[in-house]
């Protein structure tokens, strides 16, 4: 039982090495993934001194080994490092999970350095959300999805919470808090709607 989701987390460490984790979450609908991310982010920016910690210590999201579906490490400048916002990559990874409600994608990069830093410094952080089949409209008579298909469109945090469970958890107070949070910390959201907005502005 559960509204099954997953986190796809790509961490680029200070030395250029990359770690990608696919972490299952049994009940990640609504605001649950947002809250996990906020908790992990705040721990990261307030708990990176004495003893010194780097990105390797953070953004594991869930430490339960039973929830870790896949983990890969890549050498610096490896040509095999995937773009986790690429739709084909997203479908390949998320198809490996027991998942019917989508997930959250996190791409975080530590400031590059020739030697291990004394404290954590983040150079770039991008996030996105995707929906699963339960949030998509499937027409059984036509035998096809009407509108968006599972794992094929990128959403902002606000868009996801409005779609998940038909917006049951999309309280205005939460949406205001979420948008204020990502703006305050300069967290970039990657979504198809933002790409369209940028194209229209250009």
């Amino acid at each position: 039982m559960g509204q099954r989701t997953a986190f796809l987390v790509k961490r680029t460490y200070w030395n250029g090495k990359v770690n990608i984790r696919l972490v299952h979450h049994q009940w990640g609908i609504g605001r649950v993934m947002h809250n996990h991310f906020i908790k992990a982010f705040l721990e990261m920016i307030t708990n990176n001194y004495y003893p010194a910690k780097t990105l390797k210590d953070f953004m594991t999201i869930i430490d339960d080994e039973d929830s870790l579906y896949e983990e890969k490490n890549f050498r610096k400048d490896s040509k095999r490092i995937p773009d986790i916002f690429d739709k084909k990559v997203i479908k390949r990874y998320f198809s490996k999970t027991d998942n019917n409600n989508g997930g959250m994608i996190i791409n975080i990069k530590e400031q590059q350095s020739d030697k291990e830093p004394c404290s954590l410094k983040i150079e770039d952080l991008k996030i996105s959300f995707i929906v699963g089949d339960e949030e998509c409209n499937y027409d059984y008579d036509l035998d096809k999805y009407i509108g968006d298909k599972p794992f094929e469109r990128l959403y902002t945090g606000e868009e996801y919470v409005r779609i998940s469970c038909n917006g049951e958890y999309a309280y205005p107070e939460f949406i205001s808090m979420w948008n204020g949070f990502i703006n305050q910390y300069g967290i970039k959201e990657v979504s198809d709607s933002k790409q369209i907005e940028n194209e229209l502005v250009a």
Side-chain angles (χ1 to χ4, degrees), residues 70-201:
E70 184 169 333
E71 185 162 32
K72 289 186 177 180
N73 293 300
F74 300 87
R75 296 191 307 273
K76 180 180 179 179
D77 299 325
S78 169
K79 294 180 180 179
R80 296 175 51 243
I81 300 173
D83 173 5
I84 59 171
F85 295 112
D86 180 271
K87 305 297 175 62
K88 290 181 180 178
V89 172
I90 290 168
K91 293 187 81 169
R92 186 171 78 242
Y93 271 96
F94 280 90
S95 66
K96 299 177 182 182
T97 67
D98 178 16
N99 190 314
N100 57 354
N101 288 89
M104 183 176 187
I105 301 165
I106 302 168
N107 187 8
I108 183 166
K109 184 177 181 181
E110 196 168 15
Q111 194 171 81
Q112 302 296 279
S113 174
D114 293 331
K115 60 180 180 178
E116 187 169 356
C118 295
S119 63
L120 177 66
K121 293 181 180 178
I122 298 303
E123 180 178 304
D124 189 61
L125 175 54
K126 296 184 177 77
I127 61 173
S128 189
F129 291 81
I130 55 171
V131 298
D133 59 86
E134 286 194 6
E135 286 83 18
C136 298
N137 184 19
Y138 189 81
D139 189 313
Y140 287 94
D141 292 330
L142 298 176
D143 194 27
K144 67 177 184 178
Y145 284 98
I146 307 300
D148 296 340
K149 297 178 182 178
F151 310 109
E152 284 197 354
R153 184 175 170 86
L154 299 172
Y155 297 94
T156 66
E158 178 178 345
E159 288 169 339
Y160 180 85
V161 81
R162 289 186 184 280
I163 296 169
S164 180
C165 298
N166 294 314
E168 182 177 346
Y169 302 100
Y171 300 144
E173 299 85 354
F174 176 80
I175 291 171
S176 177
M177 181 278 295
W178 171 257
N179 288 329
F181 170 77
I182 60 172
N183 289 331
Q184 177 180 349
Y185 290 107
I187 298 166
K188 301 168 188 171
E189 290 191 294
V190 179
S191 73
D192 289 346
S193 61
K194 284 184 179 291
Q195 290 172 4
I196 291 170
E197 287 174 12
N198 293 337
E199 289 172 3
L200 291 174
V201 169

Side-chain angles (χ1 to χ4, degrees), residues 7-68:
F7 293 93
L8 181 59
V9 185
K10 179 178 179 180
R11 296 177 290 174
T12 302
Y13 304 135
W14 61 272
N15 56 10
K17 293 181 179 179
V18 174
N19 171 269
I20 294 182
R21 298 166 57 92
L22 181 67
V23 186
H24 174 75
H25 193 292
Q26 185 68 13
W27 197 267
I29 58 169
R31 303 166 300 191
V32 173
M33 291 186 290
H34 302 65
N35 289 330
H36 272 287
F37 172 75
I38 291 171
K39 179 177 182 289
F41 180 85
L42 292 177
E43 286 178 352
M44 181 177 68
I45 65 172
T46 59
N47 188 25
N48 56 53
Y49 292 97
Y50 312 115
K53 294 184 178 181
T54 63
L55 183 57
K56 193 171 184 179
D57 302 292
F58 296 103
M59 283 295 162
T60 57
I61 297 293
I62 299 171
D63 292 323
D64 180 6
E65 291 184 2
D66 292 334
S67 296
L68 186 61

